[in-house]
Amino acid sequence: DLIAEFLATILIVSWMLWRFGSTSELPMKVILRRMGATRPAVSVYIAYVAVIHIISLALTIMLQKSTGKVIFTTANYLDKDGNFLAEKAADMLLLAPIREEFFFRGIMFSLIYRRLGSIRKENVWPFAVLMSGGSFALLHSMNFLNSQGHSKLYVALQVVSGFVIGSFYTLRFLSTGCLWENIVLHMVHNAFASFVPVNLQASLLDISFLLPAVATVAIHLMLARFSYQSVQKEGGFQYNVIELKTEAASRLQVFLDAESDLTTAANNRSDAEERDRGGVIVKNEEGKDRKLSKRRGRKGKYK
């Protein structure tokens, strides 16, 4: 089963990259190179996130023990008989981060970025970051339909944190130009988040649940802000999967040229029809075409 999980992940990622490459007219090896697959790059943010999670986990356990409500559990790694599931652990800690980072940060963000780049010329990437984070949250919202014991509170926590953390991961991708850091960050987060039971039952006012949840979102918001500022700095934007000056800009120009050709053809057709009816096309003071009827006035001029 574990080998099948690895093979399935390789096939899924390969298919996604192939499909993306076919729509972008780029070879798969070029896409992989632009996503940083051939040049691993990480930053100190991995250490930041790891230390923050360790401290948060320790403080949360202490808080929950003091209140007599220990929420964290290892049940997500076990089957119904209490046996350890190696394939489930591998999927949560390794395979899922790889699949999701290649899809949401590598491909989904690139598609959104390219599409927005064909509509507007400036400040495209911040909107693409938010939309990418929204798509990541939307994926987790599908767990509301899950019949395998996911509580609504657990899924709501996934959606809110998914939007913030997904946006943060996208900003890290823009800052490093490489998916490796995202994958490691995702692994670290999943390692700690896996201790939260999927059937989480707690009151929204329960401090043993509320404090860790709010702290997780707030910390990632802070890290996202720092990453946003670093991307805004000169030379801080390292993303190059889609180059708007070439791919999106050329697509935009083709669209504008086609629209201009259609407008010109429509105007020529309208002028021809007017001449067929005996009309005359002259220029008014603003330089715009003005159509005059063939019908003459008393002085023989066109009205």
Side-chain angles (χ1 to χ4, degrees), residues 83-100:
N83 299 315
F84 178 74
L85 298 173
E87 62 273 14
K88 191 171 183 180
D91 186 65
M92 284 192 297
L93 302 179
L94 176 62
L95 303 181
I98 293 175
R99 290 195 305 268
E100 293 178 3

Side-chain angles (χ1 to χ4, degrees), residues 60-71:
T60 301
I61 292 176
M62 292 174 58
L63 175 63
Q64 291 178 357
K65 283 187 175 181
S66 66
T67 59
K69 297 179 181 180
V70 178
I71 297 176

Side-chain angles (χ1 to χ4, degrees), residues 42-303:
V42 296
S43 71
V44 72
Y45 274 81
I46 293 177
Y48 289 160
V49 171
V51 171
I52 289 171
H53 275 298
I54 291 173
I55 295 175
S56 176
L57 179 64
L59 293 177
T60 301
I61 292 176
M62 292 174 58
L63 175 63
Q64 291 178 357
K65 283 187 175 181
S66 66
T67 59
K69 297 179 181 180
V70 178
I71 297 176
F72 289 159
T73 178
T74 58
N76 291 331
Y77 294 101
L78 309 175
D79 61 12
K80 294 181 180 180
D81 298 325
N83 299 315
F84 178 74
L85 298 173
E87 62 273 14
K88 191 171 183 180
D91 186 65
M92 284 192 297
L93 302 179
L94 176 62
L95 303 181
I98 293 175
R99 290 195 305 268
E100 293 178 3
E101 290 310 311
F102 268 100
F103 179 71
F104 285 101
R105 257 58 70 179
I107 297 176
M108 180 63 74
F109 171 80
S110 298
L111 292 174
I112 296 172
Y113 181 64
R114 184 175 65 190
R115 179 56 180 167
L116 291 179
S118 66
I119 298 175
R120 51 187 297 155
K121 297 181 180 179
E122 298 178 353
N123 298 323
V124 172
W125 64 267
F127 294 98
V129 167
L130 294 177
M131 293 178 69
S132 175
S135 65
F136 189 58
L138 183 62
L139 170 72
H140 290 88
S141 70
M142 299 301 293
N143 286 329
F144 279 117
L145 306 177
N146 195 318
S147 59
Q148 298 181 356
H150 287 67
S151 68
K152 293 183 178 180
L153 180 60
Y154 178 82
V155 178
L157 180 61
Q158 276 191 317
V159 172
V160 175
S161 61
F163 174 73
V164 175
I165 295 174
S167 300
F168 166 61
Y169 289 166
T170 305
L171 288 168
R172 294 311 308 154
F173 180 39
L174 301 186
S175 181
T176 63
C178 177
L179 285 175
W180 285 108
E181 178 173 300
N182 291 59
I183 293 173
V184 176
L185 287 172
H186 204 142
M187 289 178 181
V188 172
H189 175 76
N190 280 11
F192 289 94
S194 63
F195 294 112
V196 180
V198 297
N199 60 347
L200 177 64
Q201 301 294 332
S203 170
L204 290 177
L205 301 180
D206 188 346
I207 192 66
S208 62
F209 160 76
L210 183 62
L211 186 60
V214 172
T216 298
V217 174
I219 290 171
H220 281 90
L221 274 174
M222 179 182 65
L223 294 175
R225 177 175 175 79
F226 291 154
S227 299
Y228 176 78
Q229 292 174 342
S230 67
V231 174
Q232 278 190 315
K233 294 180 180 179
E234 184 176 356
F237 189 84
Q238 297 297 321
Y239 169 88
N240 67 347
V241 178
I242 294 295
E243 298 177 356
L244 292 186
K245 293 182 179 180
T246 55
E247 282 98 339
S250 62
R251 292 167 187 264
L252 175 61
Q253 190 58 48
V254 169
F255 171 78
L256 293 176
D257 291 343
E259 186 179 43
S260 177
D261 292 342
L262 290 175
T263 303
T264 302
N267 290 337
N268 292 338
R269 185 168 56 252
S270 177
D271 293 346
E273 291 174 354
E274 184 65 24
R275 283 192 293 269
D276 290 342
R277 290 195 298 268
V280 178
I281 305 298
V282 299
K283 294 287 184 180
N284 61 15
E285 294 179 356
E286 290 78 15
K288 298 181 180 179
D289 291 343
R290 180 164 58 91
K291 299 178 182 179
L292 299 179
S293 172
K294 184 82 179 205
R295 186 164 47 88
R296 296 175 178 273
R298 292 183 179 179
K299 297 184 179 179
K301 295 183 180 180
Y302 292 109
K303 288 185 178 180

